[in-house]
Amino acid sequence: MTEDINRQFKPLIQDQGLPELKKWMADHGEPAYRAGQVFSWVHGKQVTSFDAMTNLSKSLRAKLAKDYDAAPLAMVQRQVSETDGTNKFLYRLRDGQCIETVFMPYHHGNSVCVSSQAGCSMGCTFCASTIGGKVRDLMRGEILAQVYETQRLTGEPVSNAVIMGTGEPLDNTEEVIGFIRLLADPYGQNMSMRNITLSTCGIVPGIYRLAEEKMPITLALSLHAPTQEKREKLMPIARRYHLDEVMRACDDYREATGRRETFEYALVAGVNDTDEDVRELAQLLKGRSAHVNLIPVNPVRTSKARRPERGHVLEFQKKLEKSGINGTIRREMGADIDGACGQLRRRQGV
Ligand code: SAH
């Protein structure tokens, strides 16, 4: 499918790094410094038309426009939470695919949650993003444009990014790595890698591949259950990658990068929220100085998963702490605007 979009459309200028732009300039008889100028228009000033690149000659702009597209996406819907200022955007890509991006204002800096695929093929039972399967991988420029456009539309600077929207980032690893590198580029958004979190359902080869890059980003593992047996019930991918293997890959990631991973745990009433689960979870994470993010599951129409009562969630956290494991309950943002992942996209019938 990604091949289809490459055949149908011109390459995106947002997909190009400095080496690619330099090569294009050389091929077109232009001096190399022009590549730097284009790079800083696209990734620094974040313009989406060649006409805006006013320090380039008209003829150079026309040549660039002949070879590249400069507008990866357009907004089709925006919802603003009245309670906490969360903004949820639905963007349409050039081929008509729609994706969701969420803007979350925080005191420590604004954060954007980006999608890495249109749809998802992982099949987690409680997740709305996977309902229609995966349509295609996003290109790095399409992931970047979610940050740039969200920043432009809100008028607010963005200092943090979480790759936690629709899609499995380690099912689109090379584009996601390219996205992270461009997002952190000093001549672009210049985001600190320490402020970037990648969340995965546990694709083992992807975790090793990411570790090789030695980028100081935070890895978040969607754990959701403390045992192989329970995990398989919630997440089909667990049948492919055994929990032991996943935990080993996380240990390797921590050693390679010096970054402590976080574990996400969506609490589902009666499924993974019992005292036995607390004990097993503490056992699994013992000695890993782990941090657990507890997320009371967001109800999705197609799933029977229900969230535990608030009091029970607090109890679960307390018991976990008593067993020596740090856990925080994720503050719920944008509960009044189609909170759970992928629900806005689904509501559009895409
Ligand atoms: N594919 C990546 C990113 C997915 S979304 C991953 O699996 O990690 C980010 C987090 O939200 C994941 O931990 C995912 O399991 C969780 N999530 C998905 N649907 C949810 C729901 N309905 N309620 C609570 N958390 C959910």
Side-chain angles (χ1 to χ4, degrees):
M1 290 304 237
T2 309
E3 293 75 45
D4 284 353
I5 186 169
N6 286 337
R7 260 198 306 273
Q8 257 178 299
F9 297 94
K10 294 173 199 169
L12 281 172
I13 195 75
Q14 284 79 2
D15 269 3
Q16 315 304 315
L18 200 55
E20 291 85 18
L21 292 173
K22 279 192 175 148
K23 178 169 185 310
W24 188 92
M25 291 297 168
D27 291 347
H28 291 76
E30 296 281 345
Y33 73 89
R34 294 272 180 227
Q37 288 178 319
V38 171
F39 189 93
S40 68
W41 279 113
V42 174
H43 300 286
K45 298 183 197 77
Q46 302 174 359
V47 303
T48 52
S49 87
F50 294 104
D51 281 340
M53 303 182 185
T54 47
N55 60 357
L56 307 182
S57 70
K58 279 221 169 98
S59 70
L60 177 55
R61 284 186 242 161
K63 275 196 271 178
L64 282 163
K66 201 166 145 268
D67 283 5
Y68 297 109
D69 276 347
L73 45 77
M75 187 190 78
V76 282
Q77 200 185 328
R78 175 179 185 175
Q79 296 181 333
V80 181
S81 163
E82 286 176 13
T83 50
D84 57 32
T86 299
N87 280 231
K88 196 155 192 175
F89 295 96
L90 189 71
Y91 291 122
R92 179 172 289 126
L93 304 171
R94 291 174 300 164
D95 61 348
Q97 281 303 310
C98 285
I99 53 166
E100 285 182 38
T101 307
V102 184
F103 170 86
M104 293 162 287
Y106 289 115
H107 292 303
H108 64 263
N110 299 320
S111 186
V112 166
C113 173
V114 295
S115 294
S116 56
Q117 296 177 318
C120 182
S121 61
M122 297 298 129
C124 297
T125 54
F126 47 82
C127 181
S129 298
T130 197
I131 294 167
K134 175 174 104 172
V135 182
R136 71 170 173 88
D137 291 331
L138 300 190
M139 293 176 277
R140 61 194 68 189
E142 292 172 323
I143 313 176
L144 274 171
Q146 295 172 58
V147 179
Y148 299 170
E149 191 63 0
T150 299
Q151 187 163 246
R152 191 182 71 78
L153 290 167
T154 58
E156 297 281 340
V158 166
S159 57
N160 297 60
V162 294
I163 310 168
M164 288 194 186
T166 299
E168 168 47 49
L170 298 184
D171 183 37
N172 185 19
T173 313
E174 297 312 316
E175 289 307 302
V176 167
I177 290 172
F179 155 72
I180 295 168
R181 294 225 170 268
L182 285 169
L183 190 63
D185 194 290
Y187 294 98
Q189 179 76 18
N190 193 21
M191 188 178 284
S192 162
M193 285 205 191
R194 292 173 184 278
N195 294 353
I196 302 174
T197 299
L198 181 153
S199 177
T200 178
C201 61
I203 310 244
V204 169
I207 297 173
Y208 285 113
R209 171 71 190 93
L210 198 63
E212 266 171 30
E213 291 285 310
K214 296 207 189 305
M215 301 185 293
I217 64 165
T218 300
L219 179 70
L221 176 75
S222 295
L223 184 60
H224 303 324
T227 62
Q228 173 64 14
E229 199 193 346
K230 271 204 178 150
R231 204 162 178 265
E232 278 185 18
K233 287 200 184 120
L234 290 170
M235 309 171 74
I237 192 70
R239 282 180 229 138
R240 179 123 53 104
Y241 303 109
H242 194 280
L243 184 55
D244 295 345
E245 256 187 283
V246 175
M247 296 306 284
R248 259 202 305 278
C250 287
D251 290 343
D252 176 83
Y253 186 85
R254 190 171 55 244
E255 276 155 33
T257 62
R259 301 282 295 164
R260 210 166 11 118
E261 68 277 34
T262 60
F263 295 93
E264 289 156 285
Y265 197 95
L267 282 161
V268 185
V271 174
N272 62 3
D273 67 340
T274 65
D275 285 355
E276 194 191 6
D277 293 310
V278 174
R279 271 195 305 278
E280 286 169 341
L281 191 55
Q283 182 65 29
L284 178 72
L285 300 180
K286 204 171 64 190
R288 287 194 160 92
S289 61
H291 188 91
V292 182
N293 252 328
L294 298 168
I295 319 159
V297 78
N298 271 309
V300 167
R301 269 173 300 162
T302 50
S303 151
K304 285 200 252 348
R306 292 285 163 263
R307 54 170 52 187
E309 301 284 326
R310 181 80 190 157
H312 189 77
V313 174
L314 289 168
E315 277 289 297
F316 191 93
Q317 181 200 23
K318 250 198 244 143
K319 288 176 191 159
L320 201 57
E321 301 235 306
K322 260 206 201 130
S323 327
I325 307 292
N326 259 325
T328 43
I329 302 170
R330 167 127 10 121
R331 205 175 116 213
E332 209 176 341
M333 303 285 283
D336 55 333
I337 51 165
D338 288 325
C341 326
Q343 301 219 36
L344 182 58
R345 180 171 178 270
R346 295 254 27 110
R347 203 144 301 179
Q348 288 289 308
V350 290

